[in-house]
Amino acid sequence: MDSTFLDERIQATQAAIIAYESVIDAILADPTKSYRLNTGQTDQQVTQYDLSQLTSALDSLYNRLATLEARRDPSG
């Protein structure tokens, strides 16, 4: 894979991580509301009932980020 492609995917994954972390923090701060999660690829309303799915997705994003970074920088 070319490094430009990997850099773009890393940036997109980092943006998604920020979006997920922001909405998780908002839900934890006020679980009675619903929140909009817009990752740039998807847009959805989420509530406290979605918290386990959100944290699972966040874990997957961190795993994807680690994989992409390892592919981009195999020595390091």
Side-chain angles (χ1 to χ4, degrees):
M1 279 185 228
D2 113 349
S3 65
T4 301
F5 172 80
L6 290 172
D7 287 339
E8 290 170 356
R9 298 314 315 142
I10 286 169
Q11 290 174 356
T13 302
Q14 289 170 332
I17 286 170
I18 291 167
Y20 272 82
E21 286 180 340
S22 295
V23 80
I24 289 169
D25 289 344
I27 288 172
L28 292 172
D30 188 354
T32 62
K33 292 185 178 181
S34 69
Y35 297 90
R36 184 173 177 206
L37 173 60
N38 184 343
T39 64
Q41 296 178 3
T42 63
D43 188 14
Q44 57 187 325
Q45 289 293 116
V46 294
T47 67
Q48 73 180 32
Y49 301 107
D50 300 304
L51 198 53
S52 67
Q53 291 175 327
L54 293 170
T55 56
S56 178
L58 182 59
D59 289 343
S60 293
L61 287 168
Y62 272 111
N63 287 334
R64 178 188 305 167
L65 180 61
T67 300
L68 290 168
E69 289 175 337
R71 287 180 182 164
R72 184 188 61 188
D73 306 314
S75 62

